[in-house]
Amino acid sequence: MKTINDFNFKDKKALIRVDFNVPLNEQFEVTDDTRIVSAKPTIIKILEDGGSCVLMSHLGRPKGVDDTFSLRHIVDKVSEVIGVEVKFVDNCVGAEAEAAAKALQPGEVLLLENLRFHSEETAGDVAFAEGLSKLGDIYVNDAFGTAHRAHASTTIVAQFFPEHKCFGYLLAEEIESIEKVMKTGEKPVLAVLGGAKVSSKITIIENILDKVDHLIIGGGMTFTFIKAQGGSIGESICEDDKLDMALEILKNAKAKNVQVHIPVDVVAADSFSNDAATQIVDVTKIPDGWQGLDAGPKSLANFHDVVMQCKTILWNGPLGVFEMENFSKGTIALGNSIAEATKKGAFSLVGGGDSVAAVKQFGFEDKVSYVSTGGGAMLESLEGKTLPGIAAILE
Ligand code: AMP
């Protein structure tokens, strides 16, 4: 796996695909600079080598040129985070961009305008990718959040740098973290899969059964498994067309010697609301008119024991409707258990979909080993897919 450590960037221009798709408020101010901060180590290494950086990114989903989505809005923030005054050019390809890249001196940083102002970017257009390739000597991909897309800047452009392409620090760390769970992690390995639906996680579950010793299934998925086994789930969320699939998963897990842990009790509510009346009930005996919205205390105690036994932990998906305070306790308790296990030496990776939001909201970010920056890219990695942006560098 080639990373930026394999190159000396002295007098070289690095064309870096970063993920600066950051949230902006109505005044076009950056409200969360995590993604910019995450790209900093790669940029600094290149500048310290004596090279220069041409940064390319998308922002939002513009349809053509649209000032609302201009990366110009973030130039000051990037300058502040990197500690170098960042230059900006109004286009990401063409004469103007080429002239700006050419004028760049060692130690300087240039940010290109939003890649998605050109529909060729998401179409993976080869000629457009060739246009981008003219802006640098070495291609660096440091954008995990878009690594699952075969876009011009994330994948196609790599072919114009057959010997001069590599991963930035952030992307390399993402890949290593996933490998720790999927291949090289110390046993016992645990995956906690929560979230709303079995259907969105089924490919992950199937793939992960070959890698883990323990599987905790929580969140809304619980009830499809409980109903499949004959339990009464009241009005809880359930995918009736996935009942056979749930039984099949349990059968496969048994055959593969994976211990599956499902909530035994839940916090049931009489409506989908933070103000609903609640009671703790056996997960197989949820009364009519009630729905399970969080894991109950016995379940959390069981999960704590499992987490504490494991040396490698993957967490994807909340254990309950964490957006409502009254149903967030399960997710918080699980986060605390994983934090404790991490403190005792376990490797913990959190990522995919909503898990990152939950982890940030409850302040677990610094208490787990790694929080992935890519929602969809992480989910596809866990499904066992080779992401096109990663494959393009490895080829
Ligand atoms: P996902 O994107 O699949 O990880 O699902 C995350 C969503 O699952 C969150 O918005 C949670 O509110 C929701 N969720 C978790 N547990 C439940 C539950 N018991 N009933 C309904 N939704 C749930």
Side-chain angles (χ1 to χ4, degrees):
M1 184 167 107
K2 261 192 189 166
T3 75
I4 51 171
N5 284 338
D6 296 306
F7 290 91
N8 186 334
F9 287 84
K10 186 165 171 39
D11 296 327
K12 301 283 184 218
K13 287 185 178 62
L15 177 65
I16 317 177
R17 178 48 158 106
V18 289
D19 181 3
F20 285 175
N21 184 27
V22 291
L24 302 177
N25 63 17
E26 282 178 4
Q27 287 75 46
F28 298 108
E29 293 159 339
V30 177
T31 54
D32 180 350
D33 65 3
T34 310
R35 288 178 166 167
I36 303 172
V37 172
S38 305
K40 183 175 174 179
T42 292
I43 297 168
I44 296 296
K45 136 82 184 168
I46 292 164
L47 298 181
E48 284 182 351
D49 270 6
S52 55
C53 297
V54 178
L55 307 177
M56 53 180 177
S57 177
H58 74 286
L59 177 66
R61 295 185 170 179
K63 295 191 174 36
V65 178
D66 177 348
D67 188 63
T68 321
F69 297 100
S70 173
L71 279 165
R72 190 166 37 79
H73 301 305
I74 75 162
V75 172
D76 289 347
K77 182 49 102 180
V78 181
S79 302
E80 180 193 317
V81 171
I82 310 292
V84 170
E85 201 180 316
V86 172
K87 298 171 187 299
F88 182 74
V89 58
D90 274 331
N91 206 341
C92 60
V93 285
E96 206 188 339
E98 284 170 34
K102 199 170 170 207
L104 210 60
Q105 297 301 310
E108 293 186 335
V109 179
L110 171 69
L111 176 64
L112 306 176
E113 182 54 287
N114 196 339
L115 292 156
R116 291 198 189 165
F117 282 1
H118 299 260
S119 60
E120 292 91 338
E121 161 64 0
T122 49
D125 185 84
V126 178
F128 177 74
E130 188 175 13
L132 294 172
S133 76
K134 292 180 184 159
L135 307 177
D137 307 308
I138 301 171
Y139 170 64
V140 179
N141 191 350
D142 210 19
F144 182 63
T146 47
H148 59 315
R149 307 276 183 225
H151 293 170
S153 69
T154 63
T155 304
I156 312 302
V157 70
Q159 65 191 257
F160 298 99
F161 300 88
E163 303 298 328
H164 295 100
K165 54 184 180 178
C166 62
F167 297 112
Y169 288 132
L170 173 68
L171 187 42
E173 210 178 344
E174 292 275 1
I175 296 170
E176 277 161 19
S177 299
I178 292 165
E179 291 212 331
K180 266 194 196 156
V181 174
M182 306 297 257
K183 286 186 193 157
T184 59
E186 195 183 335
K187 284 176 156 292
V189 180
L190 159 69
V192 184
L193 297 180
K197 292 179 172 176
V198 186
S199 51
S200 64
K201 302 279 160 93
I202 181 70
T203 329
I204 296 181
I205 301 179
E206 280 170 352
N207 184 45
I208 219 139
L209 285 181
D210 289 320
K211 333 268 181 201
V212 302
D213 306 292
H214 293 271
L215 175 64
I216 291 178
I217 291 177
M221 282 198 285
T222 305
F223 308 103
T224 303
F225 284 89
I226 296 298
K227 186 167 177 183
Q229 297 176 91
S232 302
I233 60 164
E235 315 309 313
S236 305
I237 184 175
C238 179
E239 289 168 281
D240 284 322
D241 58 337
K242 296 288 178 295
L243 298 176
D244 290 341
M245 196 180 267
L247 292 177
E248 190 68 25
I249 290 170
L250 295 176
K251 203 174 105 196
N252 288 346
K254 203 167 178 192
K256 292 179 180 189
N257 242 335
V258 178
Q259 289 192 47
V260 179
H261 312 271
I262 300 179
V264 290
D265 59 349
V266 288
V267 182
D270 63 355
S271 70
F272 189 80
S273 153
N274 195 42
D275 304 323
T278 62
Q279 56 174 324
I280 308 286
V281 293
D282 184 313
V283 72
T284 62
K285 297 187 183 94
I286 302 174
D288 287 347
W290 293 72
Q291 54 187 304
L293 294 184
D294 198 7
K298 277 190 211 143
S299 312
L300 296 175
N302 291 347
F303 293 170
H304 180 76
D305 290 343
V306 177
V307 169
M308 294 312 290
Q309 285 169 41
C310 291
K311 291 276 180 269
T312 302
I313 302 163
L314 163 75
W315 180 16
N316 169 266
L319 283 193
V321 184
F322 74 97
E323 298 92 337
M324 299 183 198
E325 197 194 341
N326 289 337
F327 309 107
S328 63
K329 292 190 188 76
T331 301
I332 295 174
L334 177 75
N336 280 326
S337 303
I338 295 178
E340 197 178 326
T342 309
K343 214 172 170 185
K344 292 203 165 128
F347 174 81
S348 53
L349 165 63
V350 182
D354 265 348
S355 341
V356 176
V359 160
K360 282 189 175 176
Q361 186 177 327
F362 303 126
F364 293 123
E365 240 176 325
D366 299 328
K367 297 180 184 162
V368 296
S369 310
Y370 195 73
V371 180
S372 174
T373 55
M378 174 75 176
L379 293 177
E380 290 196 18
S381 301
L382 298 176
E383 287 173 359
K385 291 183 189 152
T386 305
L387 309 185
I390 293 174
I393 301 279
L394 297 175
E395 269 159 16

